[in-house]
């Protein structure tokens, strides 16, 4: 397909993809994509969707916005970033089959399912696109896809060919993977509270059961008939009724709203790059101040608290994939998240990955006692405590290398210091109270000048692991102990 101009601001593609109703078919899209064996294997071995589902979805949505709502420079920058990420996602699945995220057939499926989801959104709402609208949407969509290094012949030639391609792929290639089962029946029932839930967080254990049942029913009702037939997934009458009422009701509501409320992304597009130190959206104020009440600190009365801190670090920071172990994929996921948050260029991204790879090699060689290329909580805790007791340079040979790479990446203005916003970008997560982050920053900023040096940063982590009581500033790195 010859390259055509990228979609204009008011394109049908942007209006369709930017409509808030696209969220109704988002879970359906994830199920279809993860039914591809290579996508499922990559998710199982490299994805953080189990431990950090909301962060993973935010990254996916932001990546889509960069691809379809940016200017040409922003689009190509995001494609280059995705290609660098995908080069690292490869291996062998649990059936001994090799996989790579750079497989053109896999990339084609992932892209086409996005187009198919846009058309499904309209069909399910009772307002299917006309043949001319489908042709226009597909042409605009393919103009973006042409920027990827994927052979044109792998894509359906026309909009009319897409349904046949989807059905053939479902019947010939897709599998009911563990990732698909998790998405449909398990993940939301175990997911941590979204960090934007605010005062409703205590009610999340109850809310998530309701949300999980709702999303499962809607997704099963909305999946293509060929998919349900192949994998024997039942569409109940109640689920079909829910789908009918929700999609058509949202259509009636959203089409009456002004554009500023109807579209989740302004049709004028988004910036090609994000600010390096965006204002926090979690209720904190600029600098180190915060709204809300600090959680009450726990007092340990002189007890050696290193073990508790080391275990907390394993669970909150290291175990990115949420399987109870740390391996190379977890450290790679940490590097990926840092690079994503900071929107780094290729050179600085490579430095971060190299630093975390060095850290993993130190973990593997000093902690993997059974040689299975993964480290359990017990192995990590025992080896860390023993290592720092017998060797003053123990942390220097692994952790410090990653920390210095992390600091230099987070120092987005190249000032040689981290300000509070730079600190929050790296350490903020749904598992750490935002006020606690500010408290941790103030503890590290010993002279009160509103910034942290590289040596202070490294020293804080050293204190986090080595201090025997919680009175040392570094022990507050993840908030009050």
């Amino acid at each position: 397909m010859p390259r055509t101009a990228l979609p204009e601001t008011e394109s049908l593609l942007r209006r369709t993809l930017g409509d808030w109703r696209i969220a109704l078919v988002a879970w359906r899209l994830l199920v279809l994509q993860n039914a591809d064996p290579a996508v499922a294997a990559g998710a199982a071995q490299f994805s953080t969707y189990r431990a950090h589902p909301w962060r993973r979805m935010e990254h996916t949505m932001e990546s889509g916005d960069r691809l379809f709502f940016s200017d040409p420079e922003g689009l190509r920058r995001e494609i280059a970033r995705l290609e660098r990420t995908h080069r690292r996602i490869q291996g062998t699945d649990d059936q001994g089959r090799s996989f790579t995220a750079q497989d053109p057939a896999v990339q084609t499926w992932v892209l086409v399912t996005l187009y198919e989801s846009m058309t499904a959104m309209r069909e399910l709402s009772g307002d299917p696109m006309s043949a001319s609208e489908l042709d226009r949407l597909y042409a605009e969509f393919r103009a973006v896809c042409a920027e990827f290094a994927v052979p044109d012949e792998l894509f359906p030639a026309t909009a009319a060919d897409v349904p046949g391609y989807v059905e053939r792929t479902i019947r010939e290639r897709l599998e009911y993977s563990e990732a698909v089962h998790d998405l449909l029946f398990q993940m939301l029932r175990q997911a941590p509270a979204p960090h934007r839930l605010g005062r409703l967080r205590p009610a999340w254990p109850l809310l998530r059961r309701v949300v999980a049942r709702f999303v499962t029913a809607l997704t099963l009702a909305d999946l293509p008939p060929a998919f349900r037939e192949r994998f024997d997934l039942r569409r109940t009458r109640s689920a079909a009724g829910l789908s009918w009422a929700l999609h058509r009701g949202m259509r009636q509501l959203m089409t009456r709203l002004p554009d500023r409320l109807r579209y989740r992304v302004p049709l004028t597009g988004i910036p090609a790059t994000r600010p390096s130190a965006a204002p926090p959206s979690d209720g904190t104020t600029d600098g180190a101040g915060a709204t809300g009440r600090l959680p009450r600190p726990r007092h340990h009365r002189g007890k050696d608290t290193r073990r508790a801190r080391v275990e907390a670090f394993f669970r909150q920071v290291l175990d990115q994939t949420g399987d109870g172990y740390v391996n190379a994929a977890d450290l790679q996921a940490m590097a990926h998240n840092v690079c994503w948050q900071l929107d780094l260029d290729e050179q600085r991204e490579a430095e971060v990955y190299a630093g975390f790879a060095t850290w993993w090699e130190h973990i593997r060689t000093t902690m993997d006692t059974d040689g299975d290329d993964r480290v359990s909580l017990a192995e990590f805790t025992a080896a860390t405590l023993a290592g720092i007791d017998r060797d003053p340079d123990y942390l220097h040979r692994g952790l410090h290398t990653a920390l210095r790479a992390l600091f230099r990446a987070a120092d987005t203005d190249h000032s040689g210091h981290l300000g509070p916003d730079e600190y929050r970008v790296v350490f903020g997560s749904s598992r750490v109270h935002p006020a606690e982050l500010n408290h941790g920053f103030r503890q590290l900023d010993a002279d009160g000048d509103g910034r942290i040096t590289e040596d202070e940063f490294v020293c804080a982590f050293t204190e986090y692991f080595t201090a025997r009581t919680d009175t040392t500033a570094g022990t507050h790195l993840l908030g009050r102990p």
Side-chain angles (χ1 to χ4, degrees), residues 167-440:
E167 183 158 347
R168 284 194 307 274
T169 304
I170 289 173
R171 298 190 183 282
E172 298 173 5
R173 179 179 175 88
L174 301 192
E175 297 176 357
Y176 188 79
S177 62
E178 181 180 351
V180 169
H181 184 77
D182 281 351
L183 285 164
L184 284 174
F185 300 109
Q186 291 185 350
M187 198 181 88
L188 287 176
R189 289 170 172 80
Q190 303 166 356
H195 68 277
R196 299 179 188 274
L197 205 56
R199 296 181 182 275
L200 292 177
R201 287 176 69 93
W204 177 243
L206 174 62
L207 288 174
R208 68 182 172 189
R209 290 199 293 269
V210 176
V211 171
R213 292 183 64 180
F214 174 87
V215 172
T216 295
L218 180 66
T219 305
L220 287 174
D222 292 349
L223 281 166
F227 191 95
R228 294 198 305 270
E229 178 185 335
R230 176 159 187 212
F231 301 116
D232 195 24
L233 296 171
R234 184 166 168 256
R235 182 185 194 233
T236 64
R237 283 189 178 181
S238 60
L242 170 67
S243 173
W244 188 92
L246 185 61
H247 283 287
R248 291 169 189 258
M250 287 298 293
R251 171 192 161 201
Q252 294 298 321
L253 171 65
M254 299 303 292
T255 54
R256 286 171 168 76
L257 293 177
D259 284 357
R260 63 185 176 83
L261 298 177
R262 179 176 177 180
Y263 297 102
R264 61 181 186 83
V265 179
L267 295 179
T268 52
I270 61 173
T273 58
R274 294 181 299 175
S276 59
S281 59
D282 49 21
T284 59
T285 60
D286 290 339
T291 60
R293 179 175 59 86
L294 283 171
R296 182 175 298 175
R298 296 188 297 273
H299 300 284
H300 298 281
R301 300 183 181 181
K303 179 182 178 182
D304 187 339
T305 57
R306 291 179 302 170
R307 177 176 293 276
R309 290 197 304 274
V310 170
E311 291 178 348
F313 190 84
F314 182 96
R315 295 190 180 101
Q316 291 186 23
V317 179
L318 280 179
D319 185 13
Q320 291 283 305
T321 54
D323 62 356
Y325 293 90
V326 169
N327 60 17
D330 289 285
L331 275 293
Q332 181 172 311
M334 290 176 67
H336 169 79
N337 191 51
V338 169
C339 296
W340 173 268
Q341 298 281 62
L342 299 171
D343 197 19
L344 301 177
D345 60 31
E346 184 170 4
Q347 179 180 346
R348 296 180 72 198
E349 185 178 287
E351 292 170 358
V352 172
Y353 274 96
F356 278 83
T358 298
W359 186 15
W360 162 245
E361 189 60 21
H362 182 252
I363 290 174
R364 186 187 65 80
T365 56
T366 62
M367 303 181 185
D368 182 17
T369 56
D370 55 7
D372 61 353
D373 285 328
R374 62 180 188 173
V375 173
S376 67
L377 172 62
E379 287 175 321
F380 180 79
T381 304
T384 299
L385 294 176
I388 59 180
D389 279 341
R390 71 170 182 268
D391 184 359
D393 292 328
Y394 181 79
L395 297 178
H396 174 74
R397 289 194 292 273
L399 173 64
H400 288 183
T401 303
L403 289 178
R404 293 191 184 278
L406 172 59
F407 180 94
R408 291 162 190 164
D411 180 18
T412 53
D413 60 4
H414 308 290
S415 65
H417 305 85
L418 292 189
D421 285 336
E422 291 171 321
Y423 180 85
R424 261 196 301 266
V425 168
V426 176
F427 290 101
S429 81
S430 61
R431 299 185 179 193
V432 183
H433 193 286
E436 292 292 80
L437 282 170
N438 294 327
H439 175 74

Side-chain angles (χ1 to χ4, degrees), residues 44-199:
Q45 297 183 28
F46 295 94
S47 177
T48 64
Y49 77 93
R50 288 189 182 91
H52 304 278
W54 311 118
R55 185 183 76 190
R56 185 70 192 87
M57 282 189 284
E58 286 175 4
H59 287 190
T60 299
M61 295 294 288
E62 287 182 17
S63 180
D65 291 344
R66 292 181 185 183
L67 291 173
F68 294 98
F69 291 89
S70 290
D71 58 22
E73 179 185 352
L75 165 63
R76 285 152 199 158
R77 180 186 175 96
E78 178 62 11
I79 289 175
R81 188 196 66 79
L82 289 172
E83 288 176 347
R84 293 196 300 271
T85 299
H86 289 161
R87 282 201 297 267
R88 299 181 175 97
I89 301 177
Q90 56 183 309
T92 304
D93 68 11
D94 56 7
Q95 297 184 38
R97 300 173 297 187
S98 61
F99 70 89
T100 171
Q102 290 188 294
D103 183 341
V106 176
Q107 293 177 324
T108 303
W109 173 247
V110 170
L111 288 168
V112 172
T113 52
L114 179 57
Y115 165 83
E116 189 272 346
S117 293
M118 288 187 278
T119 64
M121 179 190 79
R122 288 281 299 270
E123 291 176 4
L124 291 164
S125 71
D127 180 31
M129 291 183 180
S130 65
S132 61
E133 285 180 313
L134 290 171
D135 288 339
R136 177 183 166 195
L137 179 68
Y138 192 59
E140 293 172 352
F141 176 77
R142 288 288 288 111
V144 176
C145 295
E147 299 294 329
F148 286 84
V150 178
D152 287 338
E153 59 269 20
L154 293 180
F155 287 89
T158 69
D161 296 318
V162 171
Y165 163 83
V166 170
E167 183 158 347
R168 284 194 307 274
T169 304
I170 289 173
R171 298 190 183 282
E172 298 173 5
R173 179 179 175 88
L174 301 192
E175 297 176 357
Y176 188 79
S177 62
E178 181 180 351
V180 169
H181 184 77
D182 281 351
L183 285 164
L184 284 174
F185 300 109
Q186 291 185 350
M187 198 181 88
L188 287 176
R189 289 170 172 80
Q190 303 166 356
H195 68 277
R196 299 179 188 274
L197 205 56
R199 296 181 182 275

